[in-house]
Amino acid sequence: MHKIKSHVSVVMPDPENPRLTERVSGMDHMGNPVEVSVPVERALTLYLNSQEIVTMMTINDYPEYLALGYLLNQNMLKPTDIVTGIDYDDDLQVVVVRTGSGTNFEQKLKKKTLTSGCAQGTAFGDLMEALETISLPEAELRTSWLYRLTRTINTTPSLYLEAGAIHGCVLCKEDTPICYMEDVGRHNAVDKIAGWMYQNGVDAGDKILYTTGRLTSEMTIKTVRMGIPILVSRSGFTAWGVDLARQAGLTLVGRARGKRFAVLSGQERIVFDDDPAAVEEEPARIQRKAGRHDD
């Protein structure tokens, strides 16, 4: 199992990066001129060796991590596959992941009748099969960690606070964020974390994954495939997300805002070591998306 390297740097959002936002002029509800910051979407086409896999819309701040994480989380790249290189061309908006030999996914492509959604559809059955074979490690989530984490994440300078219209995913150890990724889709943000973990040899067994988005089947599957035993969100759940989490033994914590949260799977990992009465409610000034609705 990968161990985290001592020299690995903590990754945090860079809201000052001029490539990630644009100032756009418009009009407010009173008819007055306004200028707002909006995130910039870019197309990124991913190749695995010579096979075109998918074109994604992304803010494209970490294309190499996104490419690796996508392939790993879609079961197109195995942890045992040897990655010999990752080539990114900013002008062409193309990233190519190269392996030492043909991958399992490429062999399966030859045996299947492909549709327009081949990259996703081909991998789906394998994802579900892999979900049944993964055993998540024992771990714990102390409520004191959870309370401190949610406040720290919600007050960290981020692209969300700068421009909105974006999701964030954060890899944490106890009550400390160590890799905070943002993107226009939460699936991109979590894939970038997966790629970062793979590249830096980070052990998933004692980590917590936090997301600003809903706890869907997709988020559950990706978290389990990454080997992370605890998934936390400030938003709500879907029924299939909860069902899959229970099957896989994943701890699923949703609606985590201020002192409040709900656990619908893996309750045995929760350690109640803090008094909720001593925890402040989430101030309105730091309320993020889904503060009032599970969207």
Side-chain angles (χ1 to χ4, degrees), residues 50-63:
S50 60
Q51 175 68 49
E52 181 177 342
I53 301 298
V54 70
T55 296
M56 300 173 279
M57 297 307 299
T58 171
I59 60 174
N60 212 20
D61 53 348
Y62 294 100

Side-chain angles (χ1 to χ4, degrees), residues 283-295:
R285 64 181 177 83
I286 67 169
Q287 285 184 353
R288 297 174 57 102
K289 181 178 180 181
R292 294 182 177 86
H293 304 287
D294 291 331
D295 52 4

Side-chain angles (χ1 to χ4, degrees), residues 6 43 77 107-108 153 187 193 274 294:
S6 59
L77 189 67
Q107 293 300 317
K108 289 181 178 180
I153 292 169
H187 47 87
I193 288 178
D274 206 350
D294 291 331

Side-chain angles (χ1 to χ4, degrees), residues 12-23 37-38 40 59 61-62 156-163 182:
M12 300 299 282
D14 181 14
E16 302 301 320
N17 186 337
R19 281 176 49 87
L20 303 184
T21 60
E22 288 182 0
R23 298 292 292 178
S37 291
V38 296
V40 176
I59 60 174
D61 53 348
Y62 294 100
T156 295
S158 63
L159 196 58
Y160 174 87
L161 295 178
E162 171 69 21
E182 295 181 294

Side-chain angles (χ1 to χ4, degrees), residues 102-112:
T103 66
N104 186 49
F105 177 70
E106 290 168 321
Q107 293 300 317
K108 289 181 178 180
L109 276 182
K110 298 177 182 179
K111 300 178 182 178
K112 292 178 181 278

